[in-house]
Amino acid sequence: MKLQSLVLAAATALTMTTAFAVPAGTWTVAAGAHYVDPKSDNGTLANSDLDLVANVDVDGDVRPTISGEYFIANNVGVELLAAIPFHHDFTLNDANGAEIFTGKTQHLPPTLSLQYHFDGYNMPMNVKPFVGVGVNYTTFFKEKLNNNLGLELKLKDSVGVAGHIGLDIPFAATESLRIDARYMDIKTDATVNGAGVNYELGEIDISPWVYGVAFVKQF
């Protein structure tokens, strides 16, 4: 009888988990805002022709975002994150912290992730954690270097890994509030053009944590 009871309990638990799992074929759309928080040490740029050795400091920015996710299996989804362009001001400082140049750039960081949602696990308040891993492609544009030397800055596009963790807090059958964080490996090579000459300055390591909140709708 005890064995039968255990088998029955296990079967019931499995049935409940399957019943409440996000089924394959489900779509979700999340609309919200994210803050891009670059790492504190963004690298050092150097070029002997320009007599330049500078530490880079990149500031953060917040922008609206939207993502769509399609579940290819129960609780397993493929998500694409998109946003309007993020704006970043940056400063090049010398070894003593004195400002050399300032500048700005914009970037778009579309990110594709494979994610697992812990749905159907009887979490407190029916919250639904998830984890994901994927690839980030970041394209930079409208770069500007504030200087009186006629120098123009160019940042190369970046491809890197991305990690994703989050929590969906449901408040209706198909609606929830999402709180999430991502790590994006974003590194870009900086080039300065001036007087017909290209100067390779080195690599800027942005690699931010990206924090956000969003409203999620399931279809």
Side-chain angles (χ1 to χ4, degrees), residues 7 34 51 62 101 137 150 167 177 179 186 202 210-211:
V7 171
H34 282 77
D51 192 25
V62 60
F101 293 132
Y137 175 81
L167 188 69
L177 173 69
I179 303 172
I186 302 177
V210 182
Y211 307 102

Side-chain angles (χ1 to χ4, degrees), residues 123-193:
M123 297 286 185
M125 299 175 59
N126 200 30
V127 298
K128 303 171 183 179
F130 62 87
V131 295
V133 64
V135 61
N136 164 261
Y137 175 81
T138 299
T139 180
F140 295 89
F141 54 96
K142 292 188 178 180
E143 304 97 318
K144 182 179 180 181
L145 192 62
N146 300 321
N147 66 96
N148 297 319
L149 304 177
L151 302 177
E152 297 181 358
L153 177 69
K154 179 63 178 176
L155 301 176
K156 293 184 179 179
D157 293 351
S158 167
V159 178
V161 298
H164 192 197
I165 58 173
L167 188 69
D168 288 339
I169 307 171
F171 54 83
T174 60
E175 299 173 351
S176 59
L177 173 69
R178 173 169 295 175
I179 303 172
D180 67 343
R182 301 173 189 263
Y183 174 79
M184 297 181 180
D185 181 27
I186 302 177
K187 298 181 178 69
T188 175
D189 292 327
T191 303
V192 165
N193 300 320

Side-chain angles (χ1 to χ4, degrees), residues 69-153:
E69 184 172 9
Y70 178 74
F71 285 76
I72 58 176
N74 290 351
N75 287 349
V76 179
V78 176
E79 182 212 49
L80 178 63
L81 171 71
I84 67 173
F86 287 89
H87 297 239
H88 294 286
D89 294 323
F90 58 86
T91 306
L92 307 184
N93 301 313
D94 64 19
N96 297 318
E99 180 181 296
I100 302 175
F101 293 132
T102 62
K104 59 185 178 181
T105 186
Q106 297 184 35
H107 83 270
L108 285 172
T111 304
L112 185 67
S113 301
L114 180 67
Q115 306 194 142
Y116 184 81
H117 295 253
F118 295 90
D119 197 356
Y121 288 85
N122 298 320
M123 297 286 185
M125 299 175 59
N126 200 30
V127 298
K128 303 171 183 179
F130 62 87
V131 295
V133 64
V135 61
N136 164 261
Y137 175 81
T138 299
T139 180
F140 295 89
F141 54 96
K142 292 188 178 180
E143 304 97 318
K144 182 179 180 181
L145 192 62
N146 300 321
N147 66 96
N148 297 319
L149 304 177
L151 302 177
E152 297 181 358
L153 177 69

